[in-house]
Amino acid sequence: MLNGWTIVAVALGYLGLLFAIASYGDRIAERRPRNHARPFVYALTLGVYCTSWTFFGSVGLAANSGLDFLPIYIGPIIMIAVGWPIIRRIADLAKRQNITSIADFIAARYGKNQGLGALVAVISVLGVLPYIALQLKAVSTSLETLLADSSGLNSSLLQVPIVSDLALMVTITMAVFTVLFGTRHIDATEHQDGLMLAVAAESIVKILAFLIVGAYVTFVMFGPNELIARATETPEVSQLFTGRLDGGRWLTMTLLSMFAIVLLPRQFHVAIVENANLSDIKKAAWLFPIYLIAINLFVVPVAIAGLIVFSPGTVDADTFVLALPMAADQKIVTLIAFIGGLSAATAMVIVATISLSIMVCNHLVVPVMLRRERLPVDPREDMGRVLLYIRRGAIFAILGLAYCYYRMVGDYFALASIGLLSFAAIAQIAPAFFGGLIWRRATARGAFAGITAGFMVWAYTLLLPSFVDSGWVSSAILSDGPFGFGLLRPRVLFNLEFDPLTHGVFWSLATNLCAYIAVSLLSQAKPIERLQAAAFVASDLPSGPSSFRLRRTQIRVGDLMSTVARYLGEERTARSFDEFALNRDIELDPEAEADSRLLRYSEHLLASAVGAASSRLVLALMIERRSPNRR
């Protein structure tokens, strides 16, 4: 029996170790050449895809649905192994455009459209909240499982309301560590080598932990021959893994996971924003699939062992990885399992909330404050510090909302069900994202219409039923439809009935794609949209012209440098402008009028801090205030 305080101390010690690794990574990065290739670290950071859903939920899904866990990994393997040239092209575009997030990428493609960037940011937050709630559920459930069987924890302390709510304590702890890890730099495109090293270390920890637990269950608790024999003797178990597969559901899950490996905010962050060298992507095309295969080697044996050891309904299948070594009284293996699950959840929460906080700051808060003149253009105050405070506040708000979602519906669903709900939400970005790479005629209005329509159908066909199943909404809407209109039943739209996940994904993506194409064909692209489309679709990938039409502005070089310095700092701004002048063999006179090249370069610099759309807004407001035609 593990001591309760030992469990808590090990958890906090592990998080402290991660912070030490991140600090070490930042120090060695200062001595390393910029854009240094790190294929193994890059491939391991992609392992943030494997969350507690992988560590705990895959076994739970296998125990309930057989081999249905496989499509979640088949999709990413196909996308990375076969589609790596697409990912490399996306990364190249992101570097050229100084992209900070998935919302920034789509906004930049469609004419640096602020409204579209805000829409993607909102959908990303709402879509990923269930996924973050999944991690909170996994960690708090594993803690509850361990502490329920532990000794040495002060019972009076657990009577304190806040302390006794382990999910809330986990939420607060992860929020604090996320702020410490991820909000030290205002430049969102500046590679956070320390953070990525810590994420890579977590990928090693969780795969080793799962392999150790799996090997113990397979070779020590039972032995492979005994496990196979016992499974064969149990009809329920043998039928589970030999029964007929649902081809429609497999195809749906594979498609969703192919989108997720690129479009999930945390995956876009590690694969695109944090990519230091494009050559790393080609090497990851074989390294990452090996990782995914290895971490799934023992899923089926552990699931079979759990079904054999525990009576039906006595132990949650999502906790088999932890419950099996506990049942065998193996303290060390149990602790390893707990650390592996904690590592899987922590990596996801940190990277996901960092990427979401950047989107919230750049696409929701900053544009509103700029337009309301809460962030005046001229004053000299340090805006970098303000942006960091906004991002830190966003981190606490996002995790707080995820905690609320977990408390509302998290206890009613398995980990895999919650994860698939998020995958389906993020998939609504796919038509506008991938369509924007191949279809020059696509417009911002088309992208906005498609994403909005698809997300609304997702909320109606998938999110609403989850609240019904958890008791928050009357079940009448599922059985009778809204106002008794049976054709609009959320899970049987227009009397088309099949697997609920496939049903929701089919209708949401079909609606999304139709609206995207139709509105794009019916609307006229603005000049800036056509320019950005040329930059994103053309094979030569031009750097792109200025995003605003230049008139006589009377903007001095010194004023422009001061504005950029408010967001990026004096040292970074001075260094960047010096490089600009040196590369063009010119001298920058602070009193001279800024030309279009310098304005374009300044916009590019600002994009690294506030995103492409907001950087355009900052300079547009500055030009407007200094325009000689302004009354």
Side-chain angles (χ1 to χ4, degrees):
M1 183 180 294
L2 288 168
N3 182 281
W5 288 114
T6 300
I7 296 168
V8 174
V10 168
L12 293 176
Y14 174 72
L15 294 175
L17 177 62
L18 288 179
F19 190 76
I21 292 173
S23 299
Y24 171 75
D26 282 337
R27 288 198 302 273
I28 63 173
E30 295 175 356
R31 303 191 296 269
R32 190 169 48 222
R34 191 179 180 184
N35 299 331
H36 178 69
R38 298 182 301 163
F40 288 98
V41 172
Y42 178 76
L44 286 171
T45 59
L46 294 180
V48 74
Y49 177 80
C50 299
T51 66
S52 57
W53 177 1
T54 296
F55 199 87
F56 295 118
S58 288
V59 171
L61 186 58
N64 291 310
S65 307
L67 299 177
D68 275 1
F69 72 95
L70 288 176
I72 302 302
Y73 307 98
I74 293 174
I77 289 175
I78 294 173
M79 178 59 81
I80 297 294
V82 179
W84 65 265
I86 299 173
I87 297 175
R88 184 174 64 179
R89 183 180 172 215
I90 294 169
D92 192 16
L93 280 166
K95 293 179 189 300
R96 293 171 180 267
Q97 298 283 330
N98 245 9
I99 299 299
T100 60
S101 65
I102 181 72
D104 203 25
F105 188 95
I106 294 179
R109 160 58 183 89
Y110 296 97
K112 304 189 178 181
N113 188 285
Q114 295 165 16
L116 187 55
L119 175 66
V120 175
V122 169
I123 288 178
S124 296
V125 171
L126 295 178
V128 175
L129 279 180
Y131 210 162
I132 297 176
L134 183 157
Q135 315 307 314
L136 302 180
K137 175 182 179 178
V139 175
S140 58
T141 300
S142 60
L143 275 172
E144 289 169 0
T145 302
L146 285 174
L147 295 178
D149 195 52
S150 69
S151 61
L153 202 63
N154 191 326
S155 60
S156 62
L157 182 62
L158 290 178
Q159 299 303 314
V160 179
I162 294 180
V163 177
S164 64
D165 188 345
L166 289 176
L168 180 58
M169 294 305 297
V170 168
T171 303
I172 294 172
T173 303
M174 287 199 172
V176 171
F177 271 90
T178 301
V179 168
L180 292 175
F181 271 100
T183 57
R184 290 176 290 176
H185 309 287
I186 186 55
D187 184 347
T189 63
E190 183 178 338
H191 297 306
Q192 301 188 60
D193 296 86
L195 174 61
M196 292 302 101
L197 185 62
V199 171
E202 288 198 291
S203 292
I204 295 173
V205 169
K206 64 192 173 193
I207 192 172
L208 288 178
F210 195 85
L211 291 175
I212 289 171
V213 174
Y216 170 77
V217 171
T218 305
F219 297 104
V220 180
M221 279 189 72
F222 288 92
N225 293 332
E226 181 187 358
L227 199 60
I228 294 172
R230 295 280 295 275
T232 305
E233 294 169 0
T234 310
E236 295 81 4
V237 176
S238 60
Q239 291 174 7
L240 189 64
F241 295 99
T242 57
R244 181 173 174 270
L245 300 175
D246 186 338
R249 184 174 174 84
W250 268 54
L251 182 61
T252 300
M253 293 168 67
T254 301
L255 181 67
L256 290 180
S257 57
M258 287 179 66
F259 291 154
I261 196 63
V262 178
L263 301 183
L264 279 171
R266 71 177 189 276
Q267 296 303 140
F268 189 89
H269 191 81
V270 297
I272 306 301
V273 177
E274 290 290 347
N275 173 256
N277 193 296
L278 294 177
S279 65
D280 291 344
I281 297 173
K282 186 176 182 179
K283 294 182 176 66
W286 60 271
L287 287 171
F288 184 57
I290 291 174
Y291 183 93
L292 290 182
I293 293 170
I295 204 169
N296 282 285
L297 285 177
F298 291 107
V299 168
V300 172
V302 173
I304 292 174
L307 292 171
I308 292 172
V309 171
F310 304 112
S311 301
T314 58
V315 175
D316 185 351
D318 283 336
T319 65
F320 279 177
V321 174
L322 200 61
L324 284 168
M326 284 179 63
D329 198 26
Q330 290 292 322
K331 297 179 182 179
I332 299 300
V333 180
T334 300
L335 201 58
I336 289 173
F338 170 68
I339 291 299
L342 178 65
S343 177
T346 303
M348 182 274 177
V349 169
I350 289 175
V351 181
T353 49
I354 288 172
S355 59
L356 290 176
S357 69
I358 291 172
M359 283 191 270
V360 169
C361 175
N362 292 353
H363 296 280
L364 298 179
V365 179
V366 168
V368 172
M369 297 177 74
L370 282 170
R371 290 195 177 279
R372 293 185 177 181
E373 300 188 344
R374 300 278 178 87
L375 298 180
V377 176
D378 292 332
R380 299 292 193 267
E381 70 265 29
D382 181 11
M383 287 310 309
R385 186 178 299 275
V386 174
L387 296 181
L388 285 178
Y389 285 145
I390 293 172
R391 291 177 188 175
R392 288 166 182 167
I395 287 171
F396 278 96
I398 290 165
L399 281 168
L401 290 172
Y403 168 79
C404 293
Y405 179 88
Y406 162 65
R407 280 303 176 200
M408 290 179 68
V409 302
D411 287 333
Y412 297 90
F413 298 97
L415 299 181
S417 300
I418 300 175
L420 288 170
L421 188 67
S422 283
F423 275 25
I426 295 302
Q428 304 311 314
I429 300 173
F433 184 90
F434 293 107
L437 295 176
I438 60 176
W439 189 30
R440 192 176 300 207
R441 180 69 177 79
T443 67
R445 290 181 180 178
F448 196 96
I451 294 173
T452 302
F455 187 75
M456 290 175 66
V457 175
W458 167 84
Y460 184 70
T461 58
L462 290 170
L463 183 63
L464 177 61
S466 74
F467 284 100
V468 173
D469 292 340
S470 57
W472 286 89
V473 178
S474 172
S475 60
I477 193 172
L478 294 185
S479 58
D480 305 326
F483 308 107
F485 197 57
L487 283 177
L488 295 183
R489 286 174 291 171
R491 283 179 173 161
V492 199
L493 274 179
F494 304 109
N495 291 328
L496 185 63
E497 185 173 4
F498 37 89
D499 172 73
L501 175 67
T502 306
H503 174 271
V505 171
F506 169 77
W507 281 113
S508 60
L509 285 181
T511 305
N512 187 328
L513 192 59
C514 289
Y516 173 60
I517 294 174
V519 177
S520 290
L521 292 175
L522 293 173
S523 60
Q524 187 69 33
K526 297 178 181 178
I528 179 60
E529 291 182 46
R530 291 196 292 269
L531 291 171
Q532 287 298 103
F536 277 71
V537 177
S539 58
D540 56 352
L541 301 178
S543 59
S546 178
S547 67
F548 46 83
R549 184 176 297 176
L550 182 64
R551 300 184 297 268
R552 288 190 59 82
T553 62
Q554 296 185 350
I555 296 179
R556 297 182 303 116
V557 172
D559 292 336
L560 198 57
M561 293 178 66
S562 297
T563 298
V564 174
R566 292 177 59 222
Y567 294 88
L568 295 181
E570 297 285 350
E571 181 181 349
R572 165 78 191 278
T573 301
R575 185 172 68 249
S576 298
F577 276 83
D578 286 344
E579 289 178 1
F580 176 86
L582 182 63
N583 291 337
R584 289 159 180 78
D585 194 24
I586 60 174
E587 279 192 25
L588 293 178
D589 180 4
E591 298 300 321
E593 183 176 312
D595 61 16
S596 61
R597 292 184 305 168
L598 192 59
L599 282 167
R600 184 165 63 244
Y601 182 71
S602 300
E603 182 183 358
H604 183 75
L605 285 177
L606 283 170
S608 66
V610 297
S614 291
S615 68
R616 180 191 178 203
L617 180 59
V618 169
L619 291 187
L621 290 175
M622 187 179 183
I623 290 172
E624 180 183 342
R625 294 184 180 200
R626 286 168 171 76
S627 173
N629 298 323
R630 189 184 180 208
R631 299 295 180 188

